[in-house]
Each structure stands twice: as C-alpha cells, then as structure tokens.
Amino acid sequence: MYSFKNDYAEGAHPRILKALSDTNLEQSEGYGCDEHSLAAAALIKERLGGDSDKVDVHFLCGGTQTNLTAISAFLRSHEAAVGTNMSHIFVHETGAVEATGHKVLTVPTTDGKLYPDGVQAVLDAHPGDEHMVKPRLVKISNSTEIGSVYTLKELESLSRFCGEKKLLLYADGARLGSALCAEGNDVTLADIRRLTDAFYIGGTKNGALLGEALVITNDALKEDFRYHIKQKGALMAKGRVVGIQFEELFRDDLFFDLARHANGLAQLIASALKKAGYSFLTDSPSNQIFPILPNSIISKLQKNWSFIVWSKIDESRSSIRLVTSWATKEEVVREFIKEFE
Ligand SMILES: Cc1ncc(COP(=O)(O)O)c(C=O)c1O
C-alpha cells in the first residue's frame, strides 16, 4: 500500500537530518535565540527582498499553532477573521482560532480562493454594529486547501481591498513552497511580503521534520509577539530544532527544489488522468490534485493505494485527493499511472 494521502507521511529530507545530527552536540541559546535560528531568519529575509531586514521571523512547530497564535495576537477581543468555507482555520483546526475567542466568518468558494467581493459580502453583513463581531483579518491559504494558487493580480487586488477597508491580510503558507514553484505561478516571496501583513512559510509539508516560519511584515503587529508565542505554549526551549531545519532549507534552493519535485510528480499524475479523459474538482498546478473518478475505479485503486476520498460528485463519481511530497518517487508515480492505461 502506497500513500498519496498527504505530504507529511515521510520524515525529513536527508540534508535536514544531517544538519540536525551535525549540530547535535552544540550547546545553544534556548527559545529561538540560538545562532541557527538567527541565521535561518537572516536567510529567509534575504529571499524577501526590499527592506526585509525590517520584518520579524518567528519559528513555530505546526500550522494550527501558527494560525491560532498569529490570528489571536493580531486581533482585539471583538474582532473576527474572514476565510473561505474551505479554509483550514474554519474546517480542520478543531475551532482553534475560535477557542481563542475570535469568530471565523466564511465566504463560499468553489476554487478555494478568497476574492474582494466575497469579503465585501461579509463586511456588508457586519455594518459597524457593536452587537456583532467586527471583521478585521482576511485569511487566505496559498496554495489553497484544494491545490489552487493565487495569481499576482488576485493577490494585489485582495491586498489593495484589505488596505482600503482597514483589514489585515494574513496568508497561511503551509504549502507556500508548492504555490511558489507551481507552473505558471507569477508570485514571488517578495510579493507575498509586500502584499500581506503576515504570512508563514511551511516547512512541515516541504521536507522539514516539522516547523513553520512566521513572517510579520506589518510593524503594528510585531510588538510583544514573543509573549504571545510563549503564552500559547509555542515558544520552544529547543527552538534550534526548527531553526536548523530552515537554515538548511534556505541555505541554497533546497526549499524550492523539494516543492518543485512534489509539484512535478503531482502534475505527471494529472496529465495522465487528463489524457485518460478524467476531469478535476479544481485547476491545481500544485502538489495536491483532485481528480473526479467513477466510484468503481476508486474502490479498485484503494486495494493498492491510499488517498482521501474528498467529495461526492454524484451517485456514481467522487473526487479524490492525491498529494505528492518531496520524497515521492517517480517510479511509484509511473506505477500508479499504469492503473489508468
Ligand atoms: C493550509 C493548511 N493550513 C494549516 C494546516 C495545519 O497544519 P498542522 O496540521 O501542522 O497543524 C494544514 C494542514 O494540513 C493546511 O493544509
């Protein structure tokens, strides 16, 4: 049984394990103040261009922890976040953001993305009335929960809209590497820095054992952020564990190479399935694809392959989610494709 269930089924890229092992006996400062975490933050800042020495970089363990720590720190008690109805913070984080006291307001989506008109509809439903929560932060994921990727034009328009409406824009980058390396993508890390108030760069789903790098670009959101991390139990005494991994990922192009590898293999499957005549839930150039297959074929595939059955399309067909990772092997993908020949 081979798994296309997710991109965190394997451990870490060998270079990351080696970096952890090579530094194992070093004594370092705790709580992310070690030289590797500082070096990793500097390497990330270099990639962000412009006046990126001004951004703050914090290393956290996982996506849910990063989302809830950031969003709860950025919002005042009566303020709410806005995301799509597929948004990870709405569907898959056990109400973690809501448990910090902030409502998550949603906008229906079919392509996984959030657009200004959808956010405007939420604003219209909350017309400055203190009997309701106040929408204040717009949360997007890039790539999205269904593998789609924002264009520069889309991000610019959402960012402009947020600026006009005094909303914060926060990007969940659990799979940012995949988005940035997707075929046809025209967004850079520097664009994300320029267009958002904060975002995170996901390591867990792109070759790290674990870890996410949160980048805060808006000065007003930086103050006392480490207090918030600590209060959420997320300030790791051995912060070096994540710092060392990001140092390795950004020492050269490893982060991008791993994402490109995962994308390439997902797209290999996608083109074989397109050739075989199947359609997809969404147009995804990233490492998650959602083909629509007859239920009979899904049952047959499930004998040798594991994956998530995503949604019912009609009585006889469902969409499935196939995810490739930095560790997926091309020969395995070719074996999978043979099932459709
Ligand atoms: C877009 C997105 N955000 C956040 C997360 C949460 O990450 P974690 O499971 O590390 O908390 C995931 C996990 O799949 C995700 O896909």
Side-chain angles (χ1 to χ4, degrees):
M1 187 70 79
Y2 187 86
S3 173
F4 286 115
K5 260 184 165 165
N6 58 53
D7 36 18
Y8 43 90
E10 297 92 2
H13 187 270
R15 264 183 56 186
I16 287 179
L17 280 188
K18 183 168 183 312
L20 288 166
S21 165
D22 288 350
T23 53
N24 194 36
L25 292 180
E26 279 177 19
Q27 292 188 312
S28 63
E29 288 296 322
Y31 299 103
C33 299
D34 62 284
E35 63 181 88
H36 296 289
S37 300
L38 298 178
L43 288 171
I44 289 171
K45 288 179 186 186
E46 266 175 38
R47 301 272 179 170
L48 299 178
D51 52 356
S52 57
D53 52 314
K54 297 209 182 90
V55 308
D56 281 356
V57 178
H58 301 278
F59 296 107
L60 292 102
C61 280
T64 304
Q65 183 188 75
T66 306
N67 287 336
L68 84 91
T69 305
I71 294 173
S72 64
F74 298 161
L75 296 181
R76 295 167 72 200
S77 64
H78 58 291
E79 294 175 337
V82 183
T84 70
N85 61 345
M86 291 183 190
S87 182
H88 211 266
I89 57 168
F90 180 60
V91 184
H92 280 126
E93 296 186 2
T94 327
V97 169
E98 277 122 337
T100 66
H102 302 282
K103 200 162 174 175
V104 176
L105 304 166
T106 59
V107 176
T109 180
T110 49
D111 66 0
K113 299 186 197 177
L114 196 52
Y115 298 96
D117 56 347
V119 182
Q120 183 61 53
V122 171
L123 295 181
D124 291 344
H126 296 79
D129 172 345
E130 66 276 12
H131 296 273
M132 291 177 155
V133 293
K134 185 174 182 182
R136 168 70 173 140
L137 178 144
V138 170
K139 189 266 192 191
I140 58 169
S141 300
N142 199 28
S143 60
T144 70
E145 286 73 9
I146 50 171
S148 49
V149 165
Y150 283 85
T151 65
L152 182 57
K153 210 169 150 207
E154 287 164 347
L155 272 188
E156 283 178 337
S157 114
L158 192 58
S159 175
R160 202 176 317 114
F161 176 84
C162 288
E164 284 164 13
K165 305 289 175 178
K166 296 193 170 40
L167 299 169
L168 300 169
L169 181 57
Y170 168 70
D172 175 335
R175 295 190 177 84
L176 187 55
S178 179
L180 296 176
C181 295
E183 178 112 30
N185 166 64
D186 60 354
V187 173
T188 63
L189 261 183
D191 292 325
I192 307 262
R193 175 191 66 81
R194 179 172 61 83
L195 297 169
T196 66
D197 294 282
F199 65 98
Y200 79 87
I201 304 172
T204 304
K205 297 175 175 76
N206 195 32
L209 204 49
L210 79 168
E212 327 294 324
L214 175 70
V215 180
I216 305 180
T217 63
N218 179 339
D219 289 340
L221 305 178
K222 291 177 187 166
E223 195 179 333
D224 293 345
F225 194 77
R226 279 172 61 84
Y227 288 78
H228 292 280
I229 302 179
K230 179 68 181 179
Q231 206 173 55
K232 293 285 176 295
L235 196 65
M236 292 168 283
K238 290 187 184 172
R240 65 191 265 170
V241 169
V242 179
I244 290 164
Q245 297 183 74
F246 271 92
E247 188 182 20
E248 200 55 38
L249 284 169
F250 283 92
R251 181 188 298 291
D252 52 23
D253 281 337
L254 183 62
F255 178 80
F256 301 96
D257 292 343
L258 298 183
R260 222 170 272 121
H261 171 89
N263 285 354
L265 292 179
Q267 296 311 310
L268 198 59
I269 301 175
S271 43
L273 289 178
K274 275 179 202 157
K275 211 166 134 205
Y278 295 112
S279 61
F280 291 76
L281 194 62
T282 181
D283 181 24
S284 163
S286 68
N287 71 324
Q288 301 187 88
I289 57 169
F290 297 75
I292 296 171
L293 302 174
N295 293 335
S296 56
I297 293 199
I298 294 175
S299 304
K300 194 175 139 237
L301 288 173
Q302 282 171 324
K303 295 198 174 97
N304 294 316
W305 309 92
S306 82
F307 48 82
I308 290 173
V309 179
W310 188 258
S311 63
K312 179 177 167 176
I313 301 295
D314 53 35
E315 284 317 308
S316 61
R317 295 177 313 150
S318 304
S319 70
I320 64 169
R321 181 177 91 152
L322 299 172
V323 191
T324 51
S325 82
W326 61 273
T328 307
K329 291 204 164 34
E330 182 171 337
E331 51 270 32
V332 176
V333 162
R334 296 215 176 269
E335 275 303 304
F336 181 73
I337 288 172
K338 277 193 198 149
E339 302 268 12
F340 298 90
E341 288 170 355

